Amino acid sequence: MPEGKLCNKQPVTTKEQLDALLADTRGRVYYEEMKSLEVDKEKLRNSLKASLKSRTKTWLEMCAHCGLCADSCFLYTVNGRDPKQVPAYKIQSTLGEIVKRNGDVDNEFMLMAMETAWSKCTCCNRCGMYCPYGIDMGIMFGYLRGLLFSQGFVPWELKIGSGMHRIFHAQMDVTTEDWVETCEWMAEENGEEWPGLEIPVDKEDADIMYTCNAREPKHYPEDLAEAAILFHLAGENWTVPAEGWEQTSLTMFAGDWEGCKQQVLNVYSAIERLRPKRVIGTECGHAHRGTVVEGPYWAGRPDGQPPAPYIHYVEWIAEALRTGKIKVDPAKRIKEPVTLQDSCNYVRNHGLAMVTREIMSYMVEPGYFIEMTPNKEHNYCCGGGGGFNGVGMYRAQRNVALRKKRDQILATGCKLVIAPCHNCWDAIRDLEEEYKIGIRWSFLKPLLIKMAIVPDHLKPKEDEE
Amino acid sequence: MYEFITGPLLWVVFAAFLGGLAYRVVWYVKGLHWQLDRVAYSAFPADGAKGAVRSIFFWLVPFGTRSWRIKPGFTAIFFGFHIGAVLVPLFLTGHAVLLHERFGINWPSIPQGLADWLTAAAIVSLVLIGLRRISLPEVRIVTSWYDWLLIVLAGLPFVTGFVAVMHWGDYQFWIIAHILTGELLLVSIPFTKLYHVVGFFLTRAQLGMDFGIKRGGRKGRNMPW
Ligand code: SF4
Ligand code: SF4
Ligand code: SF4
């Protein structure tokens, strides 16, 4: 069974394999090898037998072919209503065929399925809300990705991402040492402005354990500092684990279910080790989805719950503002038209729509918060979800996908977009770069720090004199 | 002939229809898998039930969901067909009489005039559903011969029954044609994707439970279908 050296059915588990992949610029060799990667039909059949149960089977079989889902998919509308972008068509022509042919598909088919699964669906789950039968293509594409991953048909970046998780327990090569050092560095760096600022590592029995996205320590350490500052302001008893701090899951985007499980168990074991009262994750949509919403199932927890209450950062901010742990200076509220990106991963998929609105009511001068249309659960994906942002080969398609969000933002007339999700934040940054509509975008943390009232005892000494 | 097809054959047809659907339900429910579906079905029965009921209810109400509201034309023909397709076969006076004669069951019925209008609406709607299939590219691309077969299967009993009741032709011929196509439809339901007559409730309940248990319901947010 011909398999490539870089492109094959085995997940990346060693540093050598990972480095070899990374050295292959833009995956040139990898994709070349993929063209002759054979399908292990036996394995595919067995996967179907083991994991295709009545829910998904019924979704595929019973679809009325009514096309009502077409308009619900932003990729359909944004691509000139191309019939090939109709959600039902996309899934029937890929997963539907694999099932119909019971795994008897060839390389060419798998290449087409890969392109469909990663460049024609962001797993935003919007179509599921619009289908009379509740057929959720986002879930099925997630499943299809799993089948494709197990056969080696996965975009290069996501093969790497999965490997990163398997090796570093993080989506980027951040080691435990790097992480702990970054925590110390950030606490020190900001200590002057915030006397007493700490990033306590591995403190047991704290009220809060904080988890984040590896790109924070790797590329945006100020994000970590901001989280620390806000916990400090709110007087929280918190900690970060030395191991198990990474909340994201590129393995989920890649369809690497085994990797998903390993990743989430790594976080859960930190919870069990440190016994925090609850866990708070950073402003990231898919990290929350991966670790809080789906994670418990990968980990095999029958109640579908993580080992301790685990909330999204927006829930903590709303609580801090509501209870007055953090107070906003009314004079510093946002006094310009501002809009809000609803992240599919915790709004449509975890019911947090009203939480972010509550935050807006504290942070934005009344009258200045403008909703996108549609919004909340009905909002459109930013355009870069499900790994779309990160796959170079599909950059052109991703840029087209951004137009939906661009037009939604333009229609609000706002120049400031709040995006409490790393992926959405990236997509909105990229859409500004691509389409130059003159907007700014931000997480909640920096905005809140700017407007929070700092109690005297937390101010630097000089100020007191 | 009439005696046979409204007697023993009808028994067999009902048995296949009900038995087949029962099998579908059992197969579906047994195939639900908390870990593979990633829904803790049995851990939170109350949240699950609430989500399921809401998910079914809003979709049964014409214009009850955003999806129905933004597609008013489709919604009109969808309900135009389904209201007639459910009410007329179940509560037609002629059917009630037959049930009483054959099985001794007292069955309620709706006025004949209403039944006629509902049938006419169902037939017109079905034609429009067919035209929609041809004319909209986003529907055409997912349409196969199977979908056409089902439209014909579903339409025949209504057309033949309507012609018979209206006495537009040889009554005997049309009523026999109606009974046979009706029986054919009943038998086909469990064995084709027309099993949606139960499947709709199952898949809607499943997704409702998903949202009620996992995707937001337990955060106090009801899915705004
Ligand atoms: S709306 Fe649902 S039933 Fe209709 S075509 Fe789309 S997936 Fe199939
Ligand atoms: S999940 Fe989102 S992107 Fe994928 S088909 Fe459905 S609406 Fe389109
Ligand atoms: S990136 Fe944001 S908007 Fe896009 S799919 Fe993910 S959560 Fe949704």
Side-chain angles (χ1 to χ4, degrees):
Chain A
M1 192 141 306
E3 290 202 42
K5 272 175 84 162
L6 298 175
C7 184
N8 49 48
K9 296 179 180 60
Q10 283 73 48
V12 172
T13 51
T14 67
K15 189 83 179 27
E16 293 69 55
Q17 290 170 306
L18 185 64
D19 289 340
L21 266 174
L22 285 166
D24 175 27
T25 316
R26 283 192 297 275
R28 278 212 341 266
V29 178
Y30 176 85
Y31 287 124
E32 208 39 55
E33 287 180 1
M34 190 184 282
K35 287 185 193 153
S36 48
L37 181 64
E38 255 181 37
V39 181
D40 184 344
K41 298 179 185 177
E42 185 63 32
K43 184 175 170 190
L44 192 51
R45 258 195 298 280
N46 289 335
S47 306
L48 289 175
K49 216 169 143 204
S51 59
L52 186 77
K53 301 287 176 197
S54 65
R55 176 190 64 176
T56 311
K57 241 187 214 163
T58 304
W59 275 348
L60 287 172
E61 272 171 22
M62 207 171 73
C63 169
H65 301 160
C66 69
L68 205 60
C69 49
D71 282 336
S72 72
C73 179
F74 76 110
L75 289 170
Y76 167 76
T77 53
V78 102
N79 282 291
R81 306 175 61 86
D82 176 2
K84 293 215 154 114
Q85 288 278 4
V86 173
Y89 175 79
K90 289 185 276 195
I91 202 71
Q92 296 282 352
S93 59
T94 52
L95 180 62
E97 277 302 304
I98 294 179
V99 172
K100 234 185 256 166
R101 301 192 213 162
N102 196 16
D104 189 11
V105 290
D106 57 14
N107 174 282
E108 201 190 334
F109 180 93
M110 293 296 261
L111 291 174
M112 179 278 289
M114 175 177 99
E115 192 191 334
T116 311
W118 277 282
S119 80
K120 295 185 175 180
C121 179
T122 62
C123 297
C124 76
N125 304 92
R126 192 169 188 271
C127 47
M129 293 180 71
Y130 287 77
C131 165
Y133 293 152
I135 298 177
D136 192 328
M137 254 55 72
I139 293 182
M140 284 200 277
F141 272 112
Y143 176 68
L144 174 64
R145 287 178 179 197
L147 296 179
L148 292 166
F149 181 88
S150 70
Q151 296 282 337
F153 293 88
V154 56
W156 175 71
E157 290 86 347
L158 292 172
K159 180 97 176 185
I160 292 174
S162 134
M164 287 282 181
H165 278 283
R166 282 167 176 264
I167 297 164
F168 293 99
H169 292 306
Q171 61 160 282
M172 293 169 182
D173 51 349
V174 180
T175 61
T176 302
E177 264 163 41
D178 297 338
W179 161 248
V180 173
E181 255 166 43
T182 310
C183 291
E184 284 163 6
W185 169 43
M186 278 298 116
E188 220 178 271
E189 176 100 355
N190 293 277
E192 212 165 294
E193 201 182 335
W194 300 93
L197 185 77
E198 264 189 302
I199 301 186
V201 179
D202 265 354
K203 182 156 99 183
E204 294 183 357
D205 301 298
D207 292 338
I208 293 169
M209 178 178 114
Y210 181 66
T211 56
C212 66
N213 180 323
R215 52 188 258 158
E216 295 173 10
K218 180 98 177 168
H219 298 303
Y220 304 92
E222 63 276 11
D223 197 301
L224 180 60
E226 287 159 358
I229 291 166
L230 286 169
F231 284 140
H232 181 63
L233 261 176
E236 298 282 21
N237 167 19
W238 71 295
T239 187
V240 293
E243 182 56 54
W245 51 272
E246 161 69 301
Q247 195 190 345
T248 68
S249 184
L250 291 188
T251 42
M252 172 168 82
F253 291 160
D256 174 10
W257 305 132
E258 184 48 42
C260 286
K261 182 177 172 180
Q262 289 176 14
Q263 178 58 37
V264 80
L265 284 177
N266 190 46
V267 179
Y268 291 175
S269 67
I271 300 177
E272 274 147 11
R273 184 164 51 86
L274 300 179
R275 301 174 306 274
K277 288 211 182 66
R278 54 182 184 160
V279 191
I280 296 173
T282 188
E283 290 175 72
C284 185
H286 95 270
H288 184 77
R289 181 95 179 263
T291 312
V292 184
V293 184
E294 314 286 0
Y297 297 94
W298 299 327
R301 305 180 64 88
D303 64 353
Q305 307 296 310
Y310 204 139
I311 61 175
H312 191 273
Y313 204 76
V314 297
E315 294 177 274
W316 178 76
I317 292 188
E319 175 198 290
L321 292 169
R322 194 185 312 132
T323 56
K325 274 191 241 178
I326 295 179
K327 289 195 187 69
V328 164
D329 179 351
K332 293 184 184 163
R333 284 201 287 222
I334 299 172
K335 290 188 191 59
E336 65 166 299
V338 57
T339 191
L340 168 76
Q341 163 63 4
D342 283 302
S343 154
C344 319
N345 280 325
Y346 62 85
V347 173
R348 181 154 38 251
N349 285 299
H350 211 205
L352 300 187
M354 298 321 289
V355 175
T356 41
R357 266 88 197 154
E358 186 185 355
I359 296 172
M360 293 300 106
S361 77
Y362 289 100
M363 289 177 56
V364 181
E365 188 76 6
Y368 286 97
F369 171 55
I370 299 172
E371 290 276 12
M372 291 187 202
T373 318
N375 55 53
K376 304 190 186 91
E377 284 81 356
H378 291 277
N379 193 25
Y380 290 110
C381 167
C382 58
F388 210 3
N389 268 343
V391 181
M393 194 171 44
Y394 304 137
R395 185 42 59 117
Q397 291 96 309
R398 201 286 314 256
N399 288 348
V400 172
L402 296 174
R403 290 181 194 160
K404 195 71 182 188
K405 195 53 60 185
R406 175 197 67 186
D407 296 345
Q408 266 190 300
I409 294 172
L410 281 173
T412 64
C414 297
K415 293 290 170 209
L416 177 61
V417 184
I418 298 180
C421 163
H422 273 282
N423 228 348
C424 305
W425 188 97
D426 277 3
I428 293 166
R429 175 201 58 204
D430 288 1
L431 91 79
E432 174 59 27
E433 210 164 84
E434 181 73 17
Y435 298 106
K436 312 240 174 338
I437 57 171
I439 50 165
R440 288 163 290 122
W441 56 95
S442 180
F443 288 113
L444 285 164
K445 293 182 195 104
L447 295 172
L448 186 55
I449 290 176
K450 262 188 253 157
M451 63 180 73
I453 298 174
V454 182
D456 285 339
H457 70 280
L458 295 181
K459 286 183 184 158
K461 289 268 160 26
E462 308 90 78
D463 274 10
E464 278 170 17
E465 277 141 45
Chain B
M1 172 80 164
Y2 181 80
E3 289 296 316
F4 174 72
I5 61 174
T6 59
L9 186 61
L10 193 55
W11 274 106
V12 175
V13 166
F14 274 146
F17 173 70
L18 294 174
L21 287 183
Y23 175 79
R24 288 277 185 185
V25 175
V26 173
W27 174 83
Y28 185 85
V29 175
K30 274 181 72 172
L32 293 178
H33 193 292
W34 71 270
Q35 194 169 16
L36 289 171
D37 300 349
R38 298 201 299 276
V39 181
Y41 296 114
S42 44
F44 303 100
D47 298 300
K50 183 176 168 201
V53 168
R54 291 185 79 258
S55 161
I56 293 170
F57 174 77
F58 287 105
W59 284 89
L60 281 180
V61 178
F63 305 100
T65 62
R66 187 168 193 273
S67 191
W68 289 142
R69 286 191 292 276
I70 58 177
K71 294 279 170 197
F74 178 69
T75 305
I77 55 178
F78 175 90
F79 282 98
F81 172 71
H82 280 90
I83 291 174
V86 172
L87 290 182
V88 176
L90 274 178
F91 301 117
L92 189 78
T93 314
H95 293 177
V97 169
L98 189 71
L99 274 177
H100 186 73
E101 279 178 4
R102 286 288 183 278
F103 308 119
I105 303 169
N106 284 316
W107 194 259
S109 59
I110 53 172
Q112 188 59 39
L114 176 63
D116 291 345
W117 279 109
L118 288 177
T119 308
I123 294 170
V124 171
S125 300
L126 201 58
V127 170
L128 293 175
I129 287 173
L131 290 176
R132 179 179 175 274
R133 265 207 192 290
I134 303 169
S135 54
L136 297 184
E138 73 267 30
V139 191
R140 210 161 47 221
I141 193 167
V142 280
T143 299
S144 67
W145 61 267
Y146 186 32
D147 298 299
W148 289 111
L149 176 73
L150 296 182
I151 287 187
V152 171
L153 263 178
L156 277 177
F158 292 93
V159 174
T160 50
F162 197 65
V163 172
V165 168
M166 293 290 140
H167 291 274
W168 283 342
D170 174 0
Y171 180 79
Q172 273 312 315
F173 170 79
W174 287 104
I175 199 71
I176 300 258
H178 169 68
I179 294 166
L180 287 175
T181 52
E183 289 178 339
L184 179 64
L185 174 60
L186 281 178
V187 180
S188 317
I189 286 175
F191 301 102
T192 62
K193 64 180 180 177
L194 291 176
Y195 74 89
H196 77 300
V197 299
V198 291
F200 166 85
F201 295 92
L202 296 171
T203 56
R204 282 247 61 91
Q206 192 281 330
L207 196 74
M209 285 161 86
D210 188 333
F211 279 109
I213 292 169
K214 180 174 85 165
R215 298 199 254 172
R218 300 193 65 253
K219 289 282 176 184
R221 175 81 177 161
N222 286 324
M223 193 61 184
W225 296 109

